[in-house]
Amino acid sequence: MTENYYLGLDLSTQQLKCTLINEKHDIVLEEAVNFDKDLPEFKTVHGAIVNDNVVTSPTLMWVKALDILMKKLKQSSFIGSIRGISGAGQQHGSVYWNKHGLEKLEKLDSSKDLYEQLQDAFSIQQSPIWQDASTTEECRALEKSVGGPEALAQLTGSKAYERFTGNQIAKIYHHDKKAYDETARINLVSSLLSTLLVGAFSPMDAAEGSGTNLMNIHSHKWEKKLVEQCGGDTLYEKLAKEPVEGGTPVGNISDYYVKKYGFHPECRIMPFTGDNSATLVSMNLSEGDCVVSLGTSDTVLVYLKKDAAEPTTESHLMAHPTDPEGYMGMLCYKNGSLAREFIRDRYANGNWDDFNKYLLNKEAMQDGKIGFYYWMQEIIPFAKGIYRFENGQAVEEFKDKAVNVKAIVESQFMSMCIRLERMGGNTMKRLLASGGAAANKDILQLLSNVFGLPVYRQKGMNGASLGGALLAKFGTVQNTSFEKMMDEHPSAGLELICEPNLHATEKYHLLKKQFTDLEKQVVI
């Protein structure tokens, strides 16, 4: 009997990655396409094109990356035995199909690549992505339309954020009406993949709808007044379909992939979710678990039941990708790995060994030195620039410049800890680290000390693409809960990386008020 396989894709900021698992959830294949390295003709840096606060990625770059990844998969022996595909995309980014593109999509020629056939498919060539911070005007207008940021957070799970899709759509609606009117359908980055795979417009899942400022967090339906505020009376038609719950099949794979690559015609496509939601899925969280993902952006994810969840204007409450009765609490920081690399290059000789040495041997916050490192326009809080304080007084630079290394890491973790408590995440039992920087045990020890909790790491750093593969299986097998499916074949599990130094934790706890007060000075 032929074994069944399940494919997860992850279209992140810098690469398109895939993870293939078998019935027992063992990883049997991984492939990736790096945008800067493998697709240099699009001239991206870290997968993006930055023009001050306007940050985009070429839509056709993503399409071409899927062509390349499919060719790599075709060389494997598994492709005809893949029974389900799901995955993730960088959250909030949006894709604008024109009418011609949708027609082309339904009549794909298997003798040609997608990239060749979809050259004129999009009304906007550069997709706004999560790093964009150019929609402040639209954010304030959306909040005002419902009575303020608190009211919007209660309605959608978040106040208005510049990167959220509704505000990006509103900017195009007001400032590029021609392109907006030429847009027939709008996908997110995640649902772009399911649309390409099904060969017809595909909806986003409810977890992704939570990142738009357009979906009612309680009903998981589009909120009419918000939709009309962001895109007038035609936006409903462009969104086309209400969000769906995770694991609900959206169709079988397009005949194009069957003929061109050898997929099984009954391979099912599930709704794709956000990269953070998929990471949460891959770790099969229980209540009391908190994921700290240290990547291009730094993200905190916590599984909250409805009665424990409290929307705030600094955090996000999002629909859970597999539990319709649950929420995913989220904090998202724009200044993650790239900001740490900037500090490494400036103060640690561009060397991680020196960076780690300063982490261990220097004192920052516990010696009166606190820094705030908003190298890019930050989201939490909304601020930009680098600010330093010694004993409560603003300074241009620390006397010992190497202290910046410890200060940037401490500052980020202190901010996470304080804000998580406000959201209702103060009953945490352990931290689960993921993302590129989670390979650094010295950083994780500092995380453990600030929170006062043990830090675990998943064996195999697969995150979002593994979560996508598990969602693919979940939607394919049906008639079972996600928890039961995971119990049947537990993943490789978690390894304990470090325990907290509780003496240090107590000191950090006593510094929370000072940290909060200084941060307010910076934001003002």
Side-chain angles (χ1 to χ4, degrees):
M1 182 175 160
T2 308
E3 186 167 13
N4 294 330
Y5 297 92
Y6 305 93
L7 182 66
L9 305 179
D10 174 28
L11 205 173
S12 67
T13 315
Q14 302 190 48
Q15 65 178 354
L16 174 62
K17 180 180 179 181
C18 76
T19 297
L20 188 69
I21 62 170
N22 61 18
E23 289 280 7
K24 296 177 181 176
H25 308 170
D26 301 316
I27 294 171
V28 297
L29 180 72
E30 288 190 296
E31 294 284 0
V33 179
N34 180 282
F35 301 139
D36 293 4
K37 182 167 67 74
D38 299 326
L39 294 164
E41 64 270 30
F42 292 99
K43 297 179 169 58
T44 58
V45 177
H46 303 303
I49 293 172
V50 179
N51 183 10
D52 195 23
N53 282 338
V54 176
V55 187
T56 60
S57 289
T59 311
L60 281 167
M61 177 179 75
W62 297 333
V63 173
K64 194 168 185 179
L66 184 60
D67 284 330
I68 295 171
L69 192 70
M70 286 294 166
K71 287 170 185 172
K72 290 185 177 191
L73 280 172
K74 187 179 182 181
Q75 295 170 11
S76 79
S77 59
F78 304 109
I79 203 161
S81 301
I82 295 172
R83 289 293 178 262
I85 306 176
S86 186
Q90 50 176 293
Q91 284 189 287
H92 316 297
S94 44
V95 173
Y96 300 80
W97 290 92
N98 59 33
K99 188 167 179 286
H100 167 76
L102 291 172
E103 290 169 352
K104 268 291 212 188
L105 189 63
E106 295 185 2
K107 303 173 191 167
L108 291 170
D109 180 350
S110 62
S111 69
K112 299 176 182 177
D113 287 348
L114 293 171
Y115 177 71
E116 182 184 348
Q117 298 180 75
L118 298 177
Q119 285 290 311
D120 304 315
F122 305 103
S123 55
I124 290 171
Q125 300 300 310
Q126 294 288 334
S127 286
I129 64 169
W130 66 273
Q131 291 167 312
D132 187 278
S134 67
T135 64
T136 303
E137 181 184 338
E138 289 76 16
C139 288
R140 299 296 81 79
L142 185 63
E143 289 171 346
K144 186 179 178 184
S145 74
V146 293
E150 291 82 5
L152 187 63
Q154 291 294 328
L155 189 59
T156 70
S158 301
K159 72 172 187 181
Y161 283 90
E162 279 74 8
R163 70 190 188 282
F164 272 42
T165 322
N167 305 305
Q168 295 291 338
I169 293 170
K171 177 185 164 186
I172 294 165
Y173 175 64
H174 289 297
H175 299 288
D176 195 355
K177 193 68 164 56
K178 181 175 181 291
Y180 184 80
D181 289 342
E182 288 172 0
T183 300
R185 294 287 184 268
I186 299 173
N187 269 143
L188 296 192
V189 177
S190 55
S191 60
L192 166 68
L193 287 175
S194 51
T195 290
L196 290 171
L197 291 169
V198 172
F201 183 78
S202 174
M204 68 189 76
D205 79 339
E208 279 285 77
S210 315
T212 63
N213 277 143
L214 297 173
M215 188 191 82
N216 185 304
I217 190 64
H218 309 291
S219 68
H220 297 183
K221 304 290 185 188
W222 298 125
E223 187 67 30
K224 187 171 187 289
K225 58 191 172 188
L226 299 175
V227 170
E228 291 179 353
Q229 170 68 27
C230 288
D233 56 10
T234 62
L235 181 52
Y236 252 116
E237 185 183 345
K238 297 179 197 300
L239 294 170
K241 297 180 179 182
E242 296 283 358
V244 296
E245 299 302 332
T248 310
V250 295
N252 286 351
I253 196 165
S254 163
D255 197 46
Y256 169 81
Y257 301 92
V258 177
K259 291 177 179 174
K260 189 171 182 66
Y261 297 110
F263 279 92
H264 194 286
E266 291 181 16
C267 174
R268 302 176 96 179
I269 309 302
M270 309 306 149
F272 280 51
T273 193
D275 49 1
N276 294 308
S277 303
T279 298
L280 183 146
V281 166
S282 75
M283 292 188 161
N284 192 27
L285 297 196
S286 306
E287 282 186 86
D289 287 345
C290 175
V291 174
V292 179
S293 177
L294 302 171
T296 307
S297 64
D298 284 348
T299 309
V300 182
L301 306 168
V302 59
Y303 181 3
L304 299 169
K305 289 294 187 181
K306 283 191 174 178
D307 57 355
E310 187 58 45
T312 77
T313 55
E314 293 186 309
S315 61
H316 311 298
L317 209 55
M318 297 187 159
H320 193 282
T322 62
D323 177 8
E325 296 300 310
Y327 289 117
M328 180 178 75
M330 186 170 96
L331 301 168
C332 187
Y333 296 85
K334 194 178 285 189
N335 288 283
S337 291
L338 300 182
R340 284 186 289 273
E341 287 168 13
F342 170 74
I343 294 296
R344 175 203 64 189
D345 293 345
R346 176 167 283 193
Y347 299 107
N349 308 310
N351 185 303
W352 284 117
D353 289 337
D354 287 350
F355 186 96
N356 291 342
K357 183 174 71 178
Y358 297 149
L359 271 186
L360 295 171
N361 298 334
K362 300 292 180 181
E363 282 302 338
M365 197 172 289
Q366 296 190 8
D367 193 30
K369 302 176 183 72
I370 295 176
F372 299 91
Y373 296 83
Y374 312 128
W375 183 58
M376 298 174 70
Q377 175 68 61
E378 188 48 84
I379 307 160
I380 305 173
F382 193 76
K384 192 171 185 177
I386 295 176
Y387 307 88
R388 301 174 183 87
F389 297 85
E390 286 201 26
N391 300 315
Q393 299 300 310
V395 294
E396 188 68 28
E397 179 59 274
F398 294 129
K399 293 186 183 75
D400 180 355
K401 293 182 180 181
V403 167
N404 284 282
V405 168
K406 190 156 193 172
I408 188 175
V409 180
E410 279 183 332
S411 178
Q412 189 82 310
F413 294 159
M414 185 69 101
S415 175
M416 291 175 178
C417 187
I418 290 167
R419 288 175 165 87
L420 204 54
E421 288 172 359
R422 293 175 190 162
M423 188 172 34
N426 50 2
T427 56
M428 295 177 299
K429 298 183 181 71
R430 60 180 182 174
L431 302 175
L432 283 58
S434 70
N440 187 323
K441 289 188 178 182
D442 295 319
I443 287 178
L444 297 190
Q445 184 62 61
L446 200 49
L447 174 68
S448 181
N449 292 349
V450 171
F451 276 78
L453 294 170
V455 175
Y456 292 78
R457 191 169 58 201
Q458 196 168 31
K459 292 178 182 174
M461 308 278 281
N462 306 289
S465 56
L466 174 60
L470 291 167
L471 283 171
K473 184 184 176 189
F474 174 55
T476 304
V477 297
Q478 301 274 299
N479 302 320
T480 186
S481 70
F482 186 79
E483 290 74 17
K484 283 182 182 173
M485 182 188 89
M486 293 300 288
D487 287 344
E488 194 175 331
H489 300 291
S491 60
L494 302 168
E495 56 179 330
L496 176 65
I497 302 301
C498 47
E499 297 268 13
N501 175 339
L502 294 176
H503 180 63
T505 302
E506 182 57 30
K507 287 185 177 180
Y508 284 122
H509 180 72
L510 295 172
L511 289 164
K512 285 179 181 176
K513 183 180 186 305
Q514 184 189 21
F515 180 89
T516 304
D517 290 344
L518 291 176
E519 187 189 69
K520 286 175 183 171
Q521 290 184 35
V522 168
V523 175
I524 290 167

